[in-house]
Amino acid sequence: MTTKVKYKLSVPKEYCSRLHDELYPSSPYRNELDRDRDRILYSKEFRRLSDKTQVFLSSSHDHVRTRLTHTLEVSQIARVSASNLELEPTLAEAIAFGHDVGHTPFGHVGEKTLNLIMNGCDKVADFQNKMDTFDKGFKHNLQGLRVTCDLEQLYGNPGLNLTNFTLWGIQHHTKNKWGSCGYLDSISNQCLLKRDPQPCHQNNGQELGYYEQYYPAIKQKKTNIDAWSFEGQIVKLADEIAQRHHDIEDAIYMSVISKDELLGHIDRNFNKFFDEEDKKLSIELRRNIDNNRIFMPLVSKFIVGMLSKKLIDNSKLMLNRFIGSNNILSREDFVRKYPDINNEDAINVIGYADEFGKAESDLQEFLKNRILNSFEVQRMDGKGRFIIRRLFKAYLTNPKQLHDSTMHFAFSLFDSGYKKWSAMKESDLGQMRYDVDSTSQKANPKFMIALLRAICDHIAGMTDNFAISEYNKLYG
């Protein structure tokens, strides 16, 4: 087994760029990737992750993960992996910090609900029939681009002005398309979302045309080639590792799975991959199965350690093969050849060996069936879906119930020349509140589509508790 990658394949900073010129000089104590990481860390969206659901609602148990604690765990795993592969740990950390800033309240059911509404599949208003492809879609990784390029504010300008490398990693930490909307009968092509099934005319609810406006931000400087990185792929796998271990730990706390059931699955599927440390930890887990204070930290150490070791060891082998197949003879050689390397081939270099990858996929499927499809999670998912739909209904029925800033954002999306927020006076706000509910605006599909996107952004940024609070204020 290799112990070192022959040449450093960290992201070439020579191809680093930002969409806009910086307004203020950079600090001599931080490099470009440090600035990316810190901008995300200090952003409002990052802070709101502390009260967004990972799998179980944060109110369901004191010890379950939130979207923020998940993010910190992803960062730790990604940074250690990047360091051991002689890649750039700061880029891995920046991507990890930003990978879920586009996520919704109530976890993935919130994301799916917003996508169905923003595709016109889940009808909350008649004007949705008039949405074009470039108006449609919601996906949390692509919303992460929107958050960091537009919705957050830095020094009065839109977005955080992150580098292309960090933005590429945020976008590519998960799939860029929907696998399924969950409501399509593949045999009849009937949409089962409504009581009266109808033919699917929405490409299975997968249109994501709205986010194409952000794709230039992830390109290499002065090219149309993605600013890919091995570090971005590391975050993608670190995200999966973090999910495996905290889904297990949270599910045990919530009594969704038993310790015996978990250890039985691990023994059957991973025993042949154990090294000496894994074997010792497996014995210790059995020995302390009735002692939560020892068992819970041990199970995290065991799962994270085993998956991380297999990821790092196989990726070292694959990186050295990549060096050989691309005839890379030095660091300078990699920097020179970087723009011409097929990024689809390159990013697949980071990963597990095939046989271990199959066992890891089986673990994922086991956890999905036992945890994500459990009564406890599905009941919470139903609540989240209901609240989000009702918020849309309330805001569209009477948009005066929206906050001033969200209402202003809708007008700005509709008319790029609309008066800036900083220039708005009390009289302007009053006129805006009159206009938003006027018959002429409600009869204008283009304005209503802009309003729908503004509401979508507003809800996507909500924490669980804020969404529930808004629902209670609107409906009692």
Side-chain angles (χ1 to χ4, degrees):
M1 181 178 294
T2 60
T3 58
K4 186 177 180 181
V5 178
K6 191 173 183 181
Y7 300 113
K8 290 184 179 179
L9 302 178
S10 54
V11 65
K13 296 175 184 176
E14 291 83 348
Y15 303 100
C16 177
S17 64
R18 301 182 189 272
L19 278 178
H20 312 292
D21 292 336
E22 291 286 83
L23 293 178
Y24 298 99
S26 59
S27 165
Y29 304 107
R30 298 185 300 160
N31 62 34
E32 294 301 315
L33 300 176
D34 289 326
R35 299 177 86 188
D36 279 6
R37 176 200 58 207
D38 297 345
R39 286 176 181 183
I40 297 168
L41 177 64
Y42 284 91
S43 68
K44 295 188 295 295
E45 285 290 353
F46 184 83
R47 292 197 295 277
R48 284 200 287 264
L49 295 176
S50 64
D51 187 29
K52 291 192 178 187
T53 291
Q54 181 61 30
V55 174
F56 297 97
L57 286 175
S58 58
S59 59
S60 57
H61 195 289
D62 281 350
H63 297 151
V64 298
R65 264 65 174 191
T66 65
R67 191 65 58 179
L68 179 60
T69 55
H70 160 75
T71 293
L72 296 176
E73 291 171 0
V74 173
S75 173
Q76 178 268 320
I77 296 167
R79 189 174 184 91
V80 170
S81 300
S83 296
N84 277 276
L85 294 172
E86 298 188 78
L87 299 173
E88 178 52 71
T90 304
L91 176 58
E93 190 172 41
I95 296 170
F97 278 3
H99 85 282
D100 270 354
V101 293
H103 229 303
T104 62
F106 310 119
H108 284 286
V109 73
E111 177 185 23
K112 292 175 182 177
T113 302
L114 289 182
N115 183 55
L116 289 169
I117 292 172
M118 296 310 297
N119 267 280
C121 298
D122 189 355
K123 290 292 176 60
V124 291
D126 291 338
F127 68 82
Q128 287 170 281
N129 292 328
K130 298 183 180 179
M131 295 172 71
D132 293 320
T133 297
F134 55 79
D135 296 318
K136 292 181 178 178
F138 184 92
K139 204 166 187 302
H140 83 269
N141 55 320
L142 302 181
Q143 183 72 4
L145 293 185
R146 178 160 171 73
V147 165
T148 52
C149 290
D150 256 350
L151 302 185
E152 278 285 348
Q153 296 284 310
L154 185 71
Y155 312 133
N157 289 334
L160 300 178
N161 201 27
L162 302 179
T163 65
N164 49 352
F165 292 124
T166 299
L167 292 172
W168 184 90
I170 290 172
Q171 178 182 347
H172 285 83
H173 83 271
T174 189
K175 294 177 181 177
N176 289 308
K177 295 182 179 179
W178 283 99
S180 171
C181 66
Y183 292 95
L184 181 69
D185 184 329
S186 58
I187 298 176
S188 65
N189 195 41
Q190 294 284 304
C191 174
L192 307 179
L193 187 61
K194 299 295 184 182
R195 293 180 182 177
D196 180 22
Q198 300 174 358
C200 177
H201 299 296
Q202 298 291 336
N203 189 26
N204 195 12
Q206 296 179 65
E207 296 286 356
L208 292 164
Y210 189 79
Y211 296 102
E212 291 180 7
Q213 61 185 300
Y214 299 108
Y215 292 169
I218 66 167
K219 303 300 180 182
Q220 296 175 32
K221 187 187 299 184
K222 298 179 181 178
T223 74
N224 195 38
I225 304 169
D226 281 3
W228 64 272
S229 68
F230 293 118
E231 291 86 349
Q233 187 69 2
I234 285 175
V235 173
K236 181 176 182 178
L237 273 296
D239 187 24
E240 297 291 326
I241 293 172
Q243 287 178 43
R244 298 297 167 271
H245 103 267
H246 63 53
D247 285 358
I248 288 170
E249 196 170 307
D250 290 354
I252 292 173
Y253 276 126
M254 296 292 293
S255 301
V256 174
I257 61 173
S258 70
K259 297 171 186 175
D260 274 321
E261 182 183 14
L262 169 67
L263 295 181
H265 179 90
I266 290 174
D267 286 341
R268 287 190 301 274
N269 289 272
F270 291 97
N271 186 274
K272 62 183 175 181
F273 302 110
F274 286 175
D275 60 19
E276 288 305 312
E277 182 186 8
D278 297 330
K279 291 175 183 177
K280 290 178 182 178
L281 285 174
S282 178
I283 293 170
E284 284 296 303
L285 283 167
R286 285 288 183 188
R287 184 179 296 158
N288 291 281
I289 197 166
D290 295 323
N291 187 341
N292 258 12
R293 289 188 176 184
I294 297 177
F295 183 89
M296 298 306 277
L298 272 182
V299 79
S300 293
K301 177 179 176 61
F302 178 73
I303 295 296
V304 173
M306 180 177 63
L307 296 179
S308 296
K309 283 185 294 187
K310 295 300 182 183
L311 171 63
I312 292 168
D313 288 345
N314 187 66
S315 296
K316 284 180 181 178
L317 289 170
M318 297 302 292
L319 285 169
N320 280 318
R321 289 179 188 174
F322 171 84
I323 287 169
S325 62
N326 286 276
N327 196 29
I328 295 171
L329 304 178
S330 65
R331 166 66 181 175
E332 292 71 25
D333 218 12
F334 172 64
V335 172
R336 181 174 56 82
K337 293 184 177 185
Y338 169 81
D340 299 319
I341 294 172
N342 185 319
N343 67 68
E344 291 298 325
D345 294 336
I347 59 177
N348 290 327
V349 166
I350 304 295
Y352 302 113
D354 290 344
E355 189 178 7
F356 186 85
K358 173 64 169 58
E360 196 278 336
S361 295
D362 290 343
L363 175 62
Q364 179 183 10
E365 192 64 23
F366 164 72
L367 295 175
K368 176 182 177 182
N369 290 332
R370 292 293 287 110
I371 299 172
L372 299 184
N373 292 331
S374 67
F375 162 75
E376 289 83 356
V377 172
Q378 290 301 310
R379 182 170 63 173
M380 290 184 286
D381 281 358
K383 180 179 181 178
R385 184 184 301 111
F386 176 81
I387 288 174
I388 287 175
R389 292 191 78 255
R390 298 300 291 176
L391 289 177
F392 262 104
K393 285 271 192 180
Y395 292 145
L396 287 172
T397 302
N398 181 9
K400 288 183 178 179
Q401 297 178 108
L402 284 166
H403 298 187
D404 286 342
S405 57
T406 304
M407 202 181 306
H408 177 268
F409 190 54
F411 278 101
S412 299
L413 289 175
F414 172 63
D415 178 8
S416 59
Y418 197 73
K419 182 179 286 190
K420 289 185 177 181
W421 177 250
S422 58
M424 295 288 282
K425 300 177 182 178
E426 288 295 327
S427 58
D428 296 323
L429 292 175
Q431 183 63 44
M432 181 179 69
R433 286 193 158 276
Y434 174 82
D435 291 341
V436 76
D437 201 35
S438 66
T439 303
S440 60
Q441 293 291 21
K442 286 191 169 183
N444 186 334
K446 289 187 178 299
F447 174 76
M448 294 305 292
I449 290 169
L451 179 63
L452 190 74
R453 178 59 64 175
I455 293 171
C456 174
D457 289 334
H458 180 49
I459 293 175
M462 289 181 179
T463 63
D464 293 6
N465 282 336
F466 186 79
I468 294 169
S469 173
E470 281 290 278
Y471 172 81
N472 288 334
K473 288 175 182 176
L474 293 166
Y475 290 101

